[in-house]
Amino acid sequence: MENIKEFIDQLCKYSGEDETFAEAFYENLKADEEIFQEFIYFMEHGNFACKAKVCGYTVIDVMIWQMDHFKAWLDRDTRGTKQNGDRMLLLAFDTLLKMRKNPEEYIRKMQTETGTDYQGKYE
């Protein structure tokens, strides 16, 4: 458990998140065994097992949505995610944890909010 907490602390440090965020993230992660195991798998392998799912969505789905959703923000870089893979990873796991508690909100966002303009988007 100590290695996991150290990994989270370092991830938060590289992501620009403070100790309060790190503590809350760690506690939320411990409270969800499935997502906790997914996080440990990533920590140990540097890859995703994709076993933790919320309504069929995995952490990779969340990351893809975040990348697409935040494309508009990347030019301004107001969220600190530009060229910060650690932050994107941390936010993806944090979002998956939040999604577990309120899946409908996040599914709606993932299905309707995109950062990409495409033909017919605003029709």
Side-chain angles (χ1 to χ4, degrees):
M1 290 295 245
E2 189 172 311
N3 288 342
I4 297 164
K5 181 65 170 97
E6 288 174 16
F7 184 77
I8 290 170
D9 289 344
Q10 288 299 310
L11 194 58
C12 286
K13 177 182 172 186
Y14 299 142
S15 300
E17 292 294 345
D18 62 18
E19 193 174 305
T20 302
F21 181 93
E23 285 297 322
F25 178 76
Y26 181 61
E27 292 304 318
N28 289 333
L29 195 59
K30 286 191 316 184
D32 190 306
E33 183 64 27
E34 188 180 34
I35 297 174
F36 186 62
Q37 290 303 317
E38 182 77 28
F39 187 83
I40 290 171
Y41 185 90
F42 179 84
M43 186 181 90
E44 293 175 344
H45 300 280
N47 205 344
F48 303 96
C50 292
K51 291 182 180 177
K53 294 180 181 176
V54 177
C55 298
Y57 290 93
T58 67
V59 70
I60 291 176
D61 295 315
V62 174
M63 287 184 77
I64 291 168
W65 168 69
Q66 285 179 332
M67 284 186 262
D68 189 42
H69 182 55
F70 295 126
K71 280 178 187 174
W73 292 100
L74 287 176
D75 290 336
R76 293 181 289 236
D77 196 25
T78 58
R79 293 191 43 93
T81 54
K82 191 174 190 176
Q83 300 189 14
N84 189 332
D86 293 325
R87 182 164 175 78
M88 190 61 76
L89 174 73
L90 183 65
L91 293 178
F93 271 103
D94 188 56
T95 298
L96 194 64
L97 288 165
K98 291 174 182 171
M99 191 174 177
R100 176 79 79 199
K101 294 178 181 175
N102 190 2
E104 295 82 16
E105 175 187 351
Y106 289 93
I107 290 170
R108 181 182 44 77
K109 287 180 179 184
M110 289 176 70
Q111 292 176 349
T112 61
E113 294 179 6
T114 67
T116 305
D117 289 336
Y118 52 86
Q119 190 171 12
K121 178 178 178 179
Y122 297 106
E123 293 176 359

